[in-house]
Amino acid sequence: MASYSYSYSSSSRSPLLVVIGATGTGKSQLAVDLALRFNGEIINGDAMQMYDGLPIITNKIPVDEQRGIKHHLLGCVGLEEPTWRVSRFVREALKTVEDIRARGKLPILVGGTHYYTQSLLFNESLVHLDDALDSEDEGNAKEAEADSDQRWPILAASTPEILAKLNEIDPLIAQRWHPNDRRKIRRSMEIFLQTGRKPSDIYAEQEARRAGNKDQEADDTRKTMNDSETQGNTSSEATGLRFPTLLLWPHVPRPILNSRLDARVDKMLTSGLLDEAKSLHNFSNSLSTRLVHPVDETRGIYAAVGYKEFKPYLNSSTSPSPADSTIADETKLEVLKQEAIVTTKAATRRYAKSQIRWIRIKLVNALADANIQADTALTAPQNRATLYILNSSDPSPATWSTQVLEPSARYVSAFLSSLATAPAQIIPAQLHPPQSNSSTLPDPLNEAHSLGPEYISTLTPLRTTDLGKVGDWQVKTCDVCGISAVREEEWERHLSSGRHKRAEKGVAKRRERDRVLAERGISDQVCSGGQGIVRR
């Protein structure tokens, strides 16, 4: 393999290379390959891989596969510590970026916690916590929400209190949400606190920019928060990109990826997954004893896929059992173990799906917004980003080199050349730069066309991040879930969501229970003494 000797200054225009994608698609391998070729060092952006130990549960890249490349923020958090909040990650990652550049190397961010990634890329990123809470990273999202609650206590208040305050600040956005939809009410207030501006104004400006209205740009500057999170700021726009950025997205079609992930879980089991889960379970019990209260296993390392699914098995395997029920206990344990394996595979597949949805729903749109904003900026040239999708469905060495590594190396070379030859035209507009000379990046959509329809459709945003024209808002509220939506697309997405379907099943079960009780002449009304049921 050819290698190149590059030196990168700590200039504000210095590049950042980012590898994103679902778990099991080869992100770590691609990052190492590119670090070897372009004199880089790797920054881990996966929340679970920041924890010390447990290499199987957290899917850390083995030392031999790191091939001598320095990895930062990997295994740096103790098991007893909470998951890093977004602000902590951004602060530490920015320091690491500058340290890598100061030594003349290329920083390469890789990892699956994409709201970490998005927060690092943008100066004051309005990462949507409502979508983070819908993802499989629930423990991490809780930490991020707690971070905001600590920074702005109003966000920890009751839903009516937040809604009343929001109505004072932005009546238009307050009227948009159902009074019980805490998540969206809270998020709207958080946007105001982050930017100092009405959320409805921000959404209106997004719509104006997408319509090509450059006259709006003069009013487009957002206030930044004067704290350590804004270090590395290279743009006058609050949501602009911190650095000129190239993103590479190794992607595997879902049927192939699902099979690969199932096989990976099987391999993890043979490699010692169960031993690691037992070790973490014992650690939790020991820590609970020292703290004199149970450890919160909904957060931190305990939220990792591959541990929480085995909890029923672990609890049963550590419980004392009578000697005369050994065979029955062993049978029960085996059933629990097999159920845990099935659940772990399903959770891994869901996690991969949520990672892809985050990229398509949030990150791709945010990058396009930032590039439009940079194009219409009235000040100095702004940083831009380009995103390429790659076919990593065949991991065999020859195919990997042809379909993943060599195209990626070509994109990186053109990206670095464009910075060197045209500093005022860092990366062409939006996500689709025109081809004009050898140092210009090729068009991502043209590249995706060569991979086939799966890759074209995946690179296309799943939906836009704006909320439509403000004056056209019409609220629909789900009677089952209490969730509100404005656009038809958003409404249909809720109706097809797992959350809604689970809620519908719950309602159906309760109705069936009530029907059966009614037929039997039994009411589920509890007697005044709190005991028994009332028979009619």
Side-chain angles (χ1 to χ4, degrees):
M1 178 189 299
S3 62
Y4 301 85
S5 178
Y6 284 93
S7 181
Y8 309 94
S9 71
S10 58
S11 160
S12 63
R13 311 298 289 183
S14 294
L16 178 66
L17 180 59
V18 182
V19 183
I20 60 174
T23 185
T25 56
K27 298 188 300 294
S28 296
Q29 180 182 346
L30 178 58
V32 169
D33 286 345
L34 293 174
L36 287 168
R37 187 171 290 202
F38 293 97
N39 191 27
E41 292 185 3
I42 293 171
I43 303 170
N44 168 51
D46 186 293
M48 293 296 102
Q49 292 182 8
M50 291 179 185
Y51 280 98
D52 185 30
L54 306 177
I56 300 171
I57 288 178
T58 60
N59 278 298
K60 287 189 183 74
I61 181 172
V63 174
D64 61 317
E65 293 180 16
Q66 294 178 22
R67 298 160 69 188
I69 296 298
K70 186 170 180 59
H71 283 63
H72 301 265
L73 306 186
L74 188 68
C76 57
V77 178
L79 296 180
E80 73 284 357
E81 297 181 55
T83 307
W84 277 8
R85 295 172 177 171
V86 172
S87 57
R88 172 75 183 277
F89 171 76
V90 171
R91 184 168 62 250
E92 297 298 330
L94 285 173
K95 289 194 295 187
T96 305
V97 166
E98 292 308 309
D99 173 64
I100 293 172
R101 286 181 177 151
R103 290 181 283 103
K105 294 180 177 290
L106 175 67
I108 303 173
L109 174 67
V110 58
T113 306
H114 290 124
Y115 57 90
Y116 273 14
T117 298
Q118 190 159 335
S119 297
L120 178 63
L121 295 185
F122 295 90
N123 286 306
E124 186 65 33
S125 177
L126 300 181
V127 175
H128 285 205
L129 267 180
D130 50 336
D131 285 320
L133 289 168
D134 277 338
S135 76
E136 297 303 313
D137 278 331
E138 293 181 5
N140 300 336
K142 287 178 182 178
E143 296 294 343
E145 188 173 275
D147 188 29
S148 295
D149 289 351
Q150 185 178 39
R151 189 173 181 181
W152 298 294
I154 182 62
L155 298 179
S158 68
T159 303
E161 288 177 291
I162 302 175
L163 181 59
K165 189 65 177 177
L166 183 63
N167 195 51
E168 293 177 13
I169 296 165
D170 191 349
L172 189 58
I173 199 73
Q175 294 168 14
R176 180 180 190 267
W177 306 126
H178 186 279
N180 295 332
D181 198 341
R182 176 180 178 83
R183 191 166 52 182
K184 292 180 180 177
I185 292 169
R186 182 187 180 282
R187 179 59 191 150
S188 296
M189 176 60 73
E190 186 175 25
I191 288 174
F192 170 76
L193 294 170
Q194 282 184 320
T195 66
R197 302 179 62 222
K198 294 180 180 180
S200 58
D201 289 345
I202 293 174
Y203 298 140
E205 289 176 6
Q206 287 179 344
E207 176 68 17
R209 281 203 301 272
R210 285 199 178 88
N213 186 355
K214 297 185 180 182
D215 293 336
Q216 291 286 331
E217 186 60 26
D219 300 322
D220 211 23
T221 303
R222 298 175 183 175
K223 297 178 182 178
T224 57
M225 309 303 294
N226 186 23
D227 59 22
S228 59
E229 229 180 301
T230 62
Q231 66 171 300
N233 186 347
T234 65
S235 169
S236 62
E237 299 296 328
T239 53
L241 289 157
R242 296 179 194 271
F243 314 110
T245 307
L246 176 67
L247 299 99
L248 301 172
W249 180 3
H251 175 69
V252 177
R254 187 173 297 171
I256 301 173
L257 180 58
N258 285 346
S259 297
R260 182 184 295 184
L261 293 176
D262 286 350
R264 188 174 76 175
V265 172
D266 291 334
K267 182 179 179 181
M268 291 167 66
L269 285 163
T270 60
S271 299
L273 172 63
L274 211 50
D275 289 338
E276 281 195 1
K278 290 176 181 177
S279 173
L280 182 57
H281 185 63
N282 293 336
F283 175 83
S284 175
N285 290 338
S286 175
L287 185 60
S288 296
T289 301
R290 295 202 306 272
L291 297 175
V292 201
H293 62 74
V295 170
D296 182 0
E297 292 200 356
T298 66
R299 300 186 179 190
I301 186 61
Y302 308 102
V305 175
Y307 173 72
K308 59 183 183 293
E309 293 76 14
F310 281 90
K311 279 299 296 298
Y313 168 81
L314 293 169
N315 287 334
S316 295
S317 65
T318 56
S319 299
S321 58
D324 59 356
S325 61
T326 302
I327 296 177
D329 285 346
E330 289 180 356
T331 301
K332 178 185 176 183
L333 281 176
E334 184 60 27
V335 170
L336 290 174
K337 177 181 175 182
Q338 294 306 316
E339 288 176 349
I341 293 171
V342 171
T343 306
T344 299
K345 290 180 177 180
T348 304
R349 295 193 298 269
R350 287 197 305 272
Y351 179 50
K353 180 180 178 181
S354 74
Q355 289 174 305
I356 295 171
R357 285 181 62 82
W358 180 279
I359 296 171
R360 295 185 66 193
I361 292 173
K362 295 298 169 189
L363 185 56
V364 172
N365 284 293
L367 295 173
D369 273 353
N371 287 337
I372 292 171
Q373 181 175 300
D375 263 359
T376 55
L378 301 179
T379 57
Q382 307 299 310
N383 294 323
R384 295 172 173 82
T386 302
L387 168 63
Y388 291 98
I389 194 167
L390 302 144
N391 179 0
S392 62
S393 35
D394 185 348
S396 63
T399 306
W400 173 269
S401 178
T402 302
Q403 295 189 348
V404 181
L405 178 55
E406 292 309 322
S408 297
R410 179 163 51 90
Y411 303 146
V412 175
S413 293
F415 171 64
L416 297 174
S417 297
S418 71
L419 294 178
T421 60
Q425 284 281 330
I426 303 263
I427 303 174
Q430 302 184 36
L431 295 177
H432 318 304
Q435 294 186 352
S436 58
N437 56 58
S438 60
S439 66
T440 299
L441 287 160
D443 186 310
L445 279 182
N446 285 347
E447 296 292 297
H449 270 280
S450 67
L451 302 178
E454 162 80 19
Y455 296 86
I456 300 169
S457 62
T458 302
L459 189 59
T460 303
L462 191 58
R463 67 176 173 87
T464 56
T465 55
D466 69 272
L467 301 179
K469 296 180 180 179
V470 176
D472 293 341
W473 288 353
Q474 294 181 353
V475 181
K476 290 184 179 181
T477 300
C478 177
D479 293 334
V480 176
C481 308
I483 295 297
S484 55
V486 174
R487 294 175 299 130
E488 189 64 27
E489 182 182 357
E490 191 178 42
W491 176 248
E492 293 297 330
R493 188 164 73 94
H494 169 68
L495 293 181
S496 63
S497 69
R499 176 179 182 179
H500 177 73
K501 290 176 180 177
R502 288 192 295 271
E504 279 190 318
K505 288 180 180 178
V507 169
K509 287 180 180 178
R510 287 192 294 273
R511 286 175 179 167
E512 178 63 16
R513 180 203 62 184
D514 293 343
R515 183 189 66 77
V516 172
L517 291 176
E519 287 178 354
R520 296 177 180 176
I522 301 174
S523 169
D524 59 356
Q525 179 182 351
V526 179
C527 295
S528 58
Q531 297 178 350
I533 59 176
V534 176
R535 294 186 180 273
R536 294 172 179 166

